[in-house]
Amino acid sequence: MATIDETHDAALRSWVASANGHVDFPIQNLPLGVFSRAGEAARGGIAIGEMILDLAALAASGLLAGDALEAARAASGETLNPLLALGAGPRRALRRRVSALLAEGAAERPQVELLLAAMADATLHLPARIADYTDFYVGIHHATNIGKLFRPDNPLLPNYKHVPIGYHGRASTVRASGAPVIRPNGQTKAPDAQAPSFGPIARLDYELELGVWMAQGNRLGQPIPIGEALDHVAGLSLLNDWSARDVQAWEYQPLGPFLAKNFLTTVSPWIVTMEALAPFRIAQPPRPEGDPQPLPYLWNEADQREGALSLDLEVGLSTAQMRKEGLAARRLSQGPASNMYWTIAQMVTHHASNGCEMNPGDLLGTGTISGPEDGSQGSLMEITRAGREAVTLPTGETRTFLQDGDELMLSGRFVAAGAVSIGFGPCTGVVQAAPALA
Ligand code: CA
């Protein structure tokens, strides 16, 4: 379990002026990512305010020793997989040393200043080479809302409260924030249509999720006990599981999501480490009276005590017309991440419970996180009740699903009494027209 130490001290300030009061990246955060500047190779970095600390340069600077040096060396290449494979010890050593180097009054400031790059000059990449991506379905209000659209009297299927439901997604189409969202062409069939047709999909949606980045993995055939599950998690990001609802409705039976989900997944490019979010761990909400007790392999008292997160999530939409008129994004939803029926540890343990091999840099999505009430739903499918109730925007435009030119933004903010709030940075995408059909 990650513990609170001097790196979380709310009084701690950085000599990097933009870090103090930064909405996402104050010195208490120090998230891990991969960046490049024009003409340079990609390498690991740590966000601090509007700057990035170059980990390849730091590793070569002579300012590190021991585990921290090992960690920075492992983060010097174009992916963080080698660093993630080291697990929590070296990651924590690097965090503590970097925190000291960036703190106000650090004697090493003149040397460290030379290792900073402006975020504005950098391109951010995926933090890891993702071999496997799995998407869960732990947002119980989302599962209930979607279930109701199909089965008003019986929204949750009988397995939901016994099994963290998931499916294997597509790793090759995960991209960092800002990647264009190219409207896919797809095969759809309206319920009243005689036959299916192929063309630009009409019901383009988003899904507000968290991404879970795996640290050291397990060997094939070796499960991960729930008490050790979080030792295998490096940290979190935001994740948008772009979805083609009209394709989904036609293709999903009997084997589940396929082309409706695999055309793009967007993540915020910084991994907010398990160490950074130690002050924001809260108790998993108790299961409602009458819900089944999970099987022993999924149950751990410590995980129930602090396996959820004090994290507020928000979604904004900005159309091309709104941006032209200089209008701010319209908030589509806002709600807490505690609307997850299963914890991250339960997801990891269940995934590996049959001996499935997990690897450093593997990505897990939580599933859409929705609240129970209007204003807190994490997809347009829920907000518009499957397209029946349009959202009106400040320009007078309306939306049931996303149109070309729309920009969708996810954001998240960890909040706890006595702690400096931290966030993920942006997770955005602008919708582009579908490719012309041959
Ligand atoms: Ca999803």
Side-chain angles (χ1 to χ4, degrees), residues 227-254:
E228 299 168 18
L230 293 189
D231 296 340
H232 293 261
V233 174
L236 306 179
S237 64
L238 295 165
L239 185 149
N240 186 343
D241 175 21
W242 303 97
S243 299
R245 299 300 182 196
D246 37 5
V247 174
Q248 188 176 2
W250 174 232
E251 75 169 7
Y252 86 104
Q253 289 178 315

mmCIF file of all heavy atoms in Angstrom, residues 227-254:
data_model
loop_
_atom_site.group_PDB
_atom_site.id
_atom_site.type_symbol
_atom_site.label_atom_id
_atom_site.label_comp_id
_atom_site.label_asym_id
_atom_site.label_seq_id
_atom_site.Cartn_x
_atom_site.Cartn_y
_atom_site.Cartn_z
ATOM 1 N N GLY A 227 -4.405 -9.214 -2.010
ATOM 2 C CA GLY A 227 -3.603 -8.400 -1.096
ATOM 3 C C GLY A 227 -2.363 -7.811 -1.756
ATOM 4 O O GLY A 227 -1.762 -6.873 -1.238
ATOM 5 N N GLU A 228 -1.972 -8.356 -2.904
ATOM 6 C CA GLU A 228 -0.778 -7.877 -3.617
ATOM 7 C C GLU A 228 -1.129 -7.147 -4.906
ATOM 8 O O GLU A 228 -0.236 -6.696 -5.638
ATOM 9 C CB GLU A 228 0.144 -9.064 -3.952
ATOM 10 C CG GLU A 228 0.642 -9.805 -2.725
ATOM 11 C CD GLU A 228 1.306 -11.147 -3.090
ATOM 12 O OE1 GLU A 228 1.681 -11.334 -4.263
ATOM 13 O OE2 GLU A 228 1.407 -11.994 -2.191
ATOM 14 N N ALA A 229 -2.410 -7.016 -5.203
ATOM 15 C CA ALA A 229 -2.809 -6.541 -6.538
ATOM 16 C C ALA A 229 -2.260 -5.155 -6.849
ATOM 17 O O ALA A 229 -1.789 -4.899 -7.963
ATOM 18 C CB ALA A 229 -4.328 -6.550 -6.647
ATOM 19 N N LEU A 230 -2.300 -4.247 -5.873
ATOM 20 C CA LEU A 230 -1.880 -2.875 -6.178
ATOM 21 C C LEU A 230 -0.366 -2.744 -6.313
ATOM 22 O O LEU A 230 0.123 -1.748 -6.847
ATOM 23 C CB LEU A 230 -2.429 -1.894 -5.135
ATOM 24 C CG LEU A 230 -3.959 -1.746 -5.151
ATOM 25 C CD1 LEU A 230 -4.392 -0.601 -4.244
ATOM 26 C CD2 LEU A 230 -4.500 -1.526 -6.563
ATOM 27 N N ASP A 231 0.388 -3.772 -5.855
ATOM 28 C CA ASP A 231 1.832 -3.774 -6.129
ATOM 29 C C ASP A 231 2.083 -3.920 -7.630
ATOM 30 O O ASP A 231 3.191 -3.653 -8.105
ATOM 31 C CB ASP A 231 2.520 -4.936 -5.401
ATOM 32 C CG ASP A 231 2.425 -4.804 -3.897
ATOM 33 O OD1 ASP A 231 2.178 -3.676 -3.416
ATOM 34 O OD2 ASP A 231 2.586 -5.826 -3.199
ATOM 35 N N HIS A 232 1.080 -4.376 -8.350
ATOM 36 C CA HIS A 232 1.217 -4.583 -9.791
ATOM 37 C C HIS A 232 0.679 -3.408 -10.599
ATOM 38 O O HIS A 232 0.623 -3.474 -11.824
ATOM 39 C CB HIS A 232 0.487 -5.873 -10.204
ATOM 40 C CG HIS A 232 1.120 -7.112 -9.647
ATOM 41 N ND1 HIS A 232 1.981 -7.919 -10.366
ATOM 42 C CD2 HIS A 232 1.044 -7.676 -8.407
ATOM 43 C CE1 HIS A 232 2.394 -8.922 -9.618
ATOM 44 N NE2 HIS A 232 1.837 -8.803 -8.414
ATOM 45 N N VAL A 233 0.237 -2.355 -9.932
ATOM 46 C CA VAL A 233 -0.328 -1.190 -10.625
ATOM 47 C C VAL A 233 0.626 -0.011 -10.463
ATOM 48 O O VAL A 233 1.044 0.315 -9.346
ATOM 49 C CB VAL A 233 -1.715 -0.831 -10.041
ATOM 50 C CG1 VAL A 233 -2.230 0.466 -10.659
ATOM 51 C CG2 VAL A 233 -2.695 -1.973 -10.299
ATOM 52 N N ALA A 234 0.988 0.627 -11.588
ATOM 53 C CA ALA A 234 1.888 1.784 -11.533
ATOM 54 C C ALA A 234 1.128 3.067 -11.269
ATOM 55 O O ALA A 234 1.609 3.938 -10.539
ATOM 56 C CB ALA A 234 2.650 1.898 -12.851
ATOM 57 N N GLY A 235 -0.040 3.214 -11.865
ATOM 58 C CA GLY A 235 -0.783 4.452 -11.680
ATOM 59 C C GLY A 235 -1.960 4.534 -12.636
ATOM 60 O O GLY A 235 -2.323 3.545 -13.280
ATOM 61 N N LEU A 236 -2.519 5.734 -12.718
ATOM 62 C CA LEU A 236 -3.791 5.924 -13.429
ATOM 63 C C LEU A 236 -3.705 7.063 -14.436
ATOM 64 O O LEU A 236 -2.887 7.968 -14.310
ATOM 65 C CB LEU A 236 -4.904 6.264 -12.426
ATOM 66 C CG LEU A 236 -5.115 5.321 -11.248
ATOM 67 C CD1 LEU A 236 -6.245 5.848 -10.372
ATOM 68 C CD2 LEU A 236 -5.409 3.916 -11.722
ATOM 69 N N SER A 237 -4.596 7.011 -15.414
ATOM 70 C CA SER A 237 -4.803 8.144 -16.316
ATOM 71 C C SER A 237 -6.304 8.210 -16.613
ATOM 72 O O SER A 237 -7.071 7.368 -16.152
ATOM 73 C CB SER A 237 -3.998 7.965 -17.608
ATOM 74 O OG SER A 237 -4.451 6.835 -18.313
ATOM 75 N N LEU A 238 -6.701 9.225 -17.359
ATOM 76 C CA LEU A 238 -8.062 9.269 -17.881
ATOM 77 C C LEU A 238 -8.116 8.431 -19.147
ATOM 78 O O LEU A 238 -7.116 8.298 -19.856
ATOM 79 C CB LEU A 238 -8.467 10.708 -18.202
ATOM 80 C CG LEU A 238 -8.565 11.657 -17.011
ATOM 81 C CD1 LEU A 238 -8.600 13.103 -17.495
ATOM 82 C CD2 LEU A 238 -9.810 11.333 -16.183
ATOM 83 N N LEU A 239 -9.276 7.891 -19.444
ATOM 84 C CA LEU A 239 -9.422 7.053 -20.640
ATOM 85 C C LEU A 239 -10.783 7.313 -21.264
ATOM 86 O O LEU A 239 -11.804 7.340 -20.569
ATOM 87 C CB LEU A 239 -9.271 5.577 -20.249
ATOM 88 C CG LEU A 239 -9.265 4.531 -21.368
ATOM 89 C CD1 LEU A 239 -8.393 3.334 -20.969
ATOM 90 C CD2 LEU A 239 -10.659 4.063 -21.731
ATOM 91 N N ASN A 240 -10.796 7.557 -22.562
ATOM 92 C CA ASN A 240 -12.039 7.731 -23.309
ATOM 93 C C ASN A 240 -12.184 6.584 -24.290
ATOM 94 O O ASN A 240 -11.412 6.453 -25.239
ATOM 95 C CB ASN A 240 -12.026 9.082 -24.048
ATOM 96 C CG ASN A 240 -13.370 9.377 -24.715
ATOM 97 O OD1 ASN A 240 -14.200 8.495 -24.907
ATOM 98 N ND2 ASN A 240 -13.561 10.629 -25.085
ATOM 99 N N ASP A 241 -13.180 5.752 -24.056
ATOM 100 C CA ASP A 241 -13.479 4.604 -24.918
ATOM 101 C C ASP A 241 -14.518 5.059 -25.959
ATOM 102 O O ASP A 241 -15.719 4.869 -25.779
ATOM 103 C CB ASP A 241 -14.012 3.461 -24.041
ATOM 104 C CG ASP A 241 -14.475 2.261 -24.843
ATOM 105 O OD1 ASP A 241 -14.040 2.116 -25.997
ATOM 106 O OD2 ASP A 241 -15.273 1.473 -24.300
ATOM 107 N N TRP A 242 -14.013 5.691 -27.041
ATOM 108 C CA TRP A 242 -14.914 6.157 -28.109
ATOM 109 C C TRP A 242 -15.756 4.985 -28.614
ATOM 110 O O TRP A 242 -15.234 3.886 -28.803
ATOM 111 C CB TRP A 242 -14.098 6.754 -29.253
ATOM 112 C CG TRP A 242 -13.188 7.878 -28.847
ATOM 113 C CD1 TRP A 242 -11.855 7.785 -28.557
ATOM 114 C CD2 TRP A 242 -13.553 9.262 -28.670
ATOM 115 N NE1 TRP A 242 -11.362 9.038 -28.220
ATOM 116 C CE2 TRP A 242 -12.373 9.961 -28.284
ATOM 117 C CE3 TRP A 242 -14.741 9.981 -28.812
ATOM 118 C CZ2 TRP A 242 -12.359 11.328 -28.031
ATOM 119 C CZ3 TRP A 242 -14.727 11.343 -28.562
ATOM 120 C CH2 TRP A 242 -13.547 12.008 -28.176
ATOM 121 N N SER A 243 -17.017 5.242 -28.849
ATOM 122 C CA SER A 243 -17.948 4.139 -29.134
ATOM 123 C C SER A 243 -18.901 4.495 -30.260
ATOM 124 O O SER A 243 -19.416 5.609 -30.321
ATOM 125 C CB SER A 243 -18.782 3.835 -27.873
ATOM 126 O OG SER A 243 -17.945 3.438 -26.800
ATOM 127 N N ALA A 244 -19.118 3.534 -31.159
ATOM 128 C CA ALA A 244 -20.093 3.681 -32.251
ATOM 129 C C ALA A 244 -21.350 2.917 -31.842
ATOM 130 O O ALA A 244 -21.432 1.702 -31.994
ATOM 131 C CB ALA A 244 -19.520 3.126 -33.554
ATOM 132 N N ARG A 245 -22.319 3.644 -31.284
ATOM 133 C CA ARG A 245 -23.482 2.956 -30.693
ATOM 134 C C ARG A 245 -24.326 2.224 -31.723
ATOM 135 O O ARG A 245 -24.945 1.190 -31.406
ATOM 136 C CB ARG A 245 -24.361 3.979 -29.963
ATOM 137 C CG ARG A 245 -23.680 4.708 -28.827
ATOM 138 C CD ARG A 245 -23.205 3.783 -27.742
ATOM 139 N NE ARG A 245 -22.602 4.519 -26.639
ATOM 140 C CZ ARG A 245 -21.836 3.959 -25.710
ATOM 141 N NH1 ARG A 245 -21.579 2.664 -25.739
ATOM 142 N NH2 ARG A 245 -21.330 4.692 -24.751
ATOM 143 N N ASP A 246 -24.404 2.761 -32.965
ATOM 144 C CA ASP A 246 -25.222 2.090 -33.968
ATOM 145 C C ASP A 246 -24.560 0.787 -34.435
ATOM 146 O O ASP A 246 -25.246 -0.213 -34.677
ATOM 147 C CB ASP A 246 -25.572 3.015 -35.151
ATOM 148 C CG ASP A 246 -24.446 3.962 -35.550
ATOM 149 O OD1 ASP A 246 -23.338 3.860 -34.985
ATOM 150 O OD2 ASP A 246 -24.677 4.808 -36.431
ATOM 151 N N VAL A 247 -23.214 0.794 -34.511
ATOM 152 C CA VAL A 247 -22.518 -0.455 -34.828
ATOM 153 C C VAL A 247 -22.678 -1.435 -33.671
ATOM 154 O O VAL A 247 -22.959 -2.624 -33.861
ATOM 155 C CB VAL A 247 -21.019 -0.188 -35.107
ATOM 156 C CG1 VAL A 247 -20.254 -1.496 -35.282
ATOM 157 C CG2 VAL A 247 -20.851 0.709 -36.320
ATOM 158 N N GLN A 248 -22.512 -0.923 -32.449
ATOM 159 C CA GLN A 248 -22.573 -1.768 -31.250
ATOM 160 C C GLN A 248 -23.900 -2.524 -31.178
ATOM 161 O O GLN A 248 -23.935 -3.726 -30.906
ATOM 162 C CB GLN A 248 -22.400 -0.886 -30.018
ATOM 163 C CG GLN A 248 -22.244 -1.636 -28.707
ATOM 164 C CD GLN A 248 -21.965 -0.685 -27.532
ATOM 165 O OE1 GLN A 248 -21.916 0.532 -27.691
ATOM 166 N NE2 GLN A 248 -21.772 -1.254 -26.362
ATOM 167 N N ALA A 249 -24.998 -1.809 -31.460
ATOM 168 C CA ALA A 249 -26.323 -2.420 -31.325
ATOM 169 C C ALA A 249 -26.508 -3.582 -32.304
ATOM 170 O O ALA A 249 -27.221 -4.540 -32.019
ATOM 171 C CB ALA A 249 -27.402 -1.363 -31.553
ATOM 172 N N TRP A 250 -25.844 -3.478 -33.444
ATOM 173 C CA TRP A 250 -26.024 -4.495 -34.502
ATOM 174 C C TRP A 250 -25.059 -5.656 -34.338
ATOM 175 O O TRP A 250 -25.370 -6.802 -34.598
ATOM 176 C CB TRP A 250 -25.860 -3.817 -35.874
ATOM 177 C CG TRP A 250 -25.870 -4.672 -37.100
ATOM 178 C CD1 TRP A 250 -24.926 -4.663 -38.095
ATOM 179 C CD2 TRP A 250 -26.848 -5.639 -37.518
ATOM 180 N NE1 TRP A 250 -25.250 -5.545 -39.083
ATOM 181 C CE2 TRP A 250 -26.425 -6.166 -38.753
ATOM 182 C CE3 TRP A 250 -28.040 -6.118 -36.951
ATOM 183 C CZ2 TRP A 250 -27.149 -7.148 -39.449
ATOM 184 C CZ3 TRP A 250 -28.750 -7.101 -37.635
ATOM 185 C CH2 TRP A 250 -28.313 -7.592 -38.866
ATOM 186 N N GLU A 251 -23.822 -5.371 -33.869
ATOM 187 C CA GLU A 251 -22.775 -6.401 -33.898
ATOM 188 C C GLU A 251 -22.591 -7.135 -32.575
ATOM 189 O O GLU A 251 -21.938 -8.167 -32.547
ATOM 190 C CB GLU A 251 -21.423 -5.768 -34.261
ATOM 191 C CG GLU A 251 -20.824 -4.984 -33.090
ATOM 192 C CD GLU A 251 -19.367 -4.543 -33.295
ATOM 193 O OE1 GLU A 251 -18.818 -4.705 -34.398
ATOM 194 O OE2 GLU A 251 -18.806 -4.018 -32.330
ATOM 195 N N TYR A 252 -23.149 -6.647 -31.462
ATOM 196 C CA TYR A 252 -22.622 -7.103 -30.168
ATOM 197 C C TYR A 252 -23.059 -8.500 -29.757
ATOM 198 O O TYR A 252 -22.423 -9.114 -28.903
ATOM 199 C CB TYR A 252 -22.951 -6.093 -29.065
ATOM 200 C CG TYR A 252 -24.302 -6.245 -28.399
ATOM 201 C CD1 TYR A 252 -24.404 -6.797 -27.119
ATOM 202 C CD2 TYR A 252 -25.457 -5.838 -29.048
ATOM 203 C CE1 TYR A 252 -25.636 -6.926 -26.506
ATOM 204 C CE2 TYR A 252 -26.683 -5.962 -28.440
ATOM 205 C CZ TYR A 252 -26.776 -6.511 -27.173
ATOM 206 O OH TYR A 252 -27.989 -6.642 -26.582
ATOM 207 N N GLN A 253 -24.122 -9.010 -30.354
ATOM 208 C CA GLN A 253 -24.527 -10.362 -29.969
ATOM 209 C C GLN A 253 -23.970 -11.385 -30.949
ATOM 210 O O GLN A 253 -24.026 -11.161 -32.152
ATOM 211 C CB GLN A 253 -26.048 -10.460 -29.933
ATOM 212 C CG GLN A 253 -26.622 -9.680 -28.759
ATOM 213 C CD GLN A 253 -28.130 -9.714 -28.716
ATOM 214 O OE1 GLN A 253 -28.773 -9.529 -29.731
ATOM 215 N NE2 GLN A 253 -28.673 -9.926 -27.546
ATOM 216 N N PRO A 254 -23.426 -12.516 -30.519
ATOM 217 C CA PRO A 254 -23.334 -12.958 -29.130
ATOM 218 C C PRO A 254 -21.979 -12.708 -28.474
ATOM 219 O O PRO A 254 -21.834 -13.066 -27.319
ATOM 220 C CB PRO A 254 -23.547 -14.466 -29.267
ATOM 221 C CG PRO A 254 -22.853 -14.795 -30.549
ATOM 222 C CD PRO A 254 -23.041 -13.579 -31.447
#
